[in-house]
Amino acid sequence: MGRKKKNNDNEKFEYSKTKSFENLEVVQKMALNRKGKDDEINPDISIFLKAEELKGKLCGLYSDKDNSSVTINNMGSVKINGKDLEVLAGEKIITERQND
């Protein structure tokens, strides 16, 4: 049995999102045009949907983490002539611990 030659280590493999997307589109077309017995077209919807899901993930449409964040501006206390001034602007923020 002969041994296979190793690929040149200096070869660079280039793979892009675009190439992956194009490959998934090819897979989808194959899934829709799949032929069953008697050369009838019998699409494989599960493969089509899996490729669609992978395309969506590739484009960032699906995210495991909820990255939404809320920005809250909180103004510190203001002193005028030695008196603390309470500024009433916006809605009051309710926190878990209330100061007594």
Side-chain angles (χ1 to χ4, degrees):
M1 242 173 143
R3 290 188 168 188
K4 293 182 180 179
K5 287 186 178 182
K6 287 187 177 181
N7 287 342
N8 187 355
D9 291 336
N10 294 333
E11 276 186 41
K12 291 185 179 181
F13 295 99
E14 292 187 27
Y15 199 71
S16 66
K17 286 183 180 182
T18 304
K19 183 66 178 167
S20 181
F21 195 88
E22 290 170 357
N23 289 341
L24 289 168
E25 284 183 330
V26 169
V27 169
Q28 282 184 308
K29 287 178 186 173
M30 290 171 61
L32 289 178
N33 295 321
R34 190 186 106 191
K35 292 186 180 181
K37 294 179 181 178
D38 301 325
D39 286 335
E40 289 181 15
I41 293 182
N42 185 16
D44 192 337
I45 301 302
S46 63
I47 292 175
F48 177 86
L49 291 174
K50 183 62 179 177
E52 188 68 22
E53 179 185 355
L54 291 172
K55 284 169 45 180
K57 284 182 180 180
L58 188 63
C59 293
L61 295 177
Y62 308 114
S63 177
D64 293 337
K65 297 178 183 177
D66 185 16
N67 293 333
S68 64
S69 62
V70 177
T71 303
I72 299 174
N73 293 328
N74 190 6
M75 185 174 175
S77 63
V78 176
K79 287 190 177 191
I80 298 177
N81 295 331
K83 286 178 136 183
D84 284 335
L85 178 65
E86 185 180 342
V87 179
L88 300 174
E91 295 180 17
K92 209 165 201 172
I93 299 171
I94 300 172
T95 59
E96 290 180 43
R97 289 180 40 199
Q98 294 290 329
N99 295 337
D100 291 272

